[in-house]
Amino acid sequence: MNRFARTVAAVALATALALVSGCGGSDSDAGVDAKPLKKVTYLTSFGNFGRDAYAWVAKDKGFFEEAGFDVEIKPGQGTGGVIAAVVSGQAQFGPTDLTGSLLQMGNGQAKDFVAVAAIQQRTMAAIATTEGNGIAVPKDIEGKRLADTPGSVVRNLFPTYARLAGVDADKVTWVNGDAQTLMGTLAGGSVDGIGQFVVGKPTIEAVTKKKAVLLPYSDVMPDLYGNVLITSKEIAEEDPETVKRFTTALLKGLEYSLANSKEAAEILKRNVDATNPAAAAAELKLMAAYVRPGGSGTAIGTLDSGRVARSIAVLQDAGALPPGMTPEQIIDFDLVPKA
């Protein structure tokens, strides 16, 4: 009887262990049946400089994967190019300058996109040059030759900047350039200045081997936001949860990059061979002051309707926008991070 009891107990134990082992096996195989990652194409704002490293950080650190995304990152060519790619479905997300986006939408050049988060709380748009080119104040750019991509915010906003800064825009010549080669064009001396973000100063100096001189647009237009994250209206309306998850992951990468600029620069270098890590880290350090919210809340990514309305008013007063445009036409405040 005792032998029989022991046999039954042994069989029961073996069965239990088999069941446990079976359960463990199904857990380990769970990844096979797990929901596949959603493929997303993301465009940077302007080439692959340090200011855009946060997207690569979000990918490298697994923030995108944790949110359910397999993200392909491609270099953008400025506001106009990013908007066109997002609206056409070539990309699902990308950063554009909010002011440049307002100009494109308000003047009928683009539609069917919405902003869902702020990247920078102040515009970083600027005219950039180097010492020796005879440019120290805005008036000095009259008679000069400047280069930028056709759809960039610096170029599209230039007439408004010129008017407010007391510059005769008709006396400035613009030529077309490419995001990745603009600084080389400046270094080569074929132009006197380029459209650039203020955080580009370290990279300009690294490329040109000269001291950079910048004329920030924020000096005459302090209310303007910088880059915002955009997506198509179709995605925002049909899949808002995807937008929220992607935004959260991207902003997590942004926050990490600002706190760990050197590591972020090294991550960018691993993905983009042409990266100068020291210049990229310096760009991120400069950008931090533009990303941290001030009057529009405490959370990164927030957008304030009142500030956007004031920006619209500035552009309308300068004759750059037609009357009647509202913040809600370009921003989906239901998807924007809360302050």
Side-chain angles (χ1 to χ4, degrees):
M1 196 67 177
N2 287 340
R3 183 182 301 165
F4 177 74
R6 287 196 298 271
T7 301
V8 171
V11 171
L13 178 60
T15 301
L17 290 173
L19 287 171
V20 171
S21 176
C23 290
S26 69
D27 282 347
S28 64
D29 294 335
V32 176
D33 300 321
K35 188 175 180 180
L37 297 175
K38 188 179 184 71
K39 291 187 178 296
V40 165
T41 298
Y42 172 90
L43 295 182
T44 66
S45 64
F46 195 74
N48 278 313
F49 298 106
R51 72 205 69 163
D52 277 298
Y54 57 90
W56 294 105
V57 169
K59 183 171 183 175
D60 185 87
K61 290 295 179 182
F63 301 154
F64 284 144
E65 187 174 357
E66 290 168 6
F69 299 106
D70 176 9
V71 180
E72 181 180 10
I73 302 171
K74 295 182 177 182
Q77 288 289 328
T79 293
V82 173
I83 290 175
V86 167
V87 170
S88 67
Q90 297 174 54
Q92 287 69 54
F93 297 94
T96 65
D97 186 273
L98 180 57
T99 305
S101 302
L102 283 166
L103 293 174
Q104 293 245 333
M105 181 178 286
N107 294 314
Q109 296 170 289
K111 59 179 182 177
D112 298 329
F113 68 94
V114 290
V116 295
I119 303 299
Q120 292 118 19
Q121 295 287 323
R122 289 186 293 135
T123 183
M124 299 197 304
I127 302 294
T129 185
T130 54
E131 285 188 344
N133 283 333
I135 300 175
V137 297
K139 193 72 173 174
D140 292 338
I141 60 178
E142 292 182 358
K144 297 297 194 294
R145 184 178 169 89
L146 307 178
D148 203 351
T149 58
S152 84
V153 64
V154 175
R155 193 162 173 177
N156 287 338
L157 188 55
F158 178 72
T160 303
Y161 168 76
R163 178 176 173 179
L164 295 173
V167 174
D168 186 343
D170 293 333
K171 294 182 179 179
V172 179
T173 301
W174 285 93
V175 298
N176 293 340
D178 179 83
Q180 293 297 120
T181 60
L182 276 178
M183 294 184 189
T185 302
L186 178 62
S190 60
V191 296
D192 303 298
I194 58 175
Q196 191 55 236
F197 280 175
V198 293
V199 295
K201 184 175 183 287
T203 306
I204 291 171
E205 293 179 341
V207 171
T208 65
K209 310 302 181 186
K210 296 179 181 179
K211 185 175 177 60
V213 177
L214 290 111
L215 304 176
Y217 281 16
S218 60
D219 285 350
V220 296
M221 295 177 283
D223 263 336
L224 304 186
Y225 278 93
N227 278 351
V228 292
L229 177 66
I230 69 163
T231 190
S232 68
K233 274 192 174 181
E234 181 180 3
I235 293 175
E237 292 172 357
E238 296 182 2
D239 200 354
E241 289 308 312
T242 285
V243 176
K244 289 179 180 179
R245 285 189 291 110
F246 184 88
T247 299
T248 298
L250 183 69
L251 294 181
K252 191 174 179 181
L254 175 60
E255 194 157 20
Y256 188 95
S257 298
L258 299 180
N260 304 275
S261 58
K262 287 185 178 180
E263 182 185 355
E266 291 298 333
I267 290 172
L268 181 62
K269 175 64 177 177
R270 289 203 299 270
N271 290 280
V272 182
D273 288 340
T275 299
N276 178 324
E283 282 200 14
L284 286 168
K285 286 183 178 179
L286 287 173
M287 192 171 80
Y290 289 81
V291 172
R292 302 295 179 191
S296 59
T298 56
I300 283 179
T302 57
L303 285 160
D304 180 74
S305 179
R307 267 190 66 194
V308 178
R310 291 196 297 274
S311 298
I312 291 172
V314 167
L315 297 172
Q316 289 172 338
D317 290 344
L321 275 183
M325 194 166 186
T326 65
E328 289 72 22
Q329 287 176 259
I330 196 168
I331 298 170
D332 189 330
F333 286 102
D334 289 334
L335 297 177
V336 170
K338 304 305 177 187

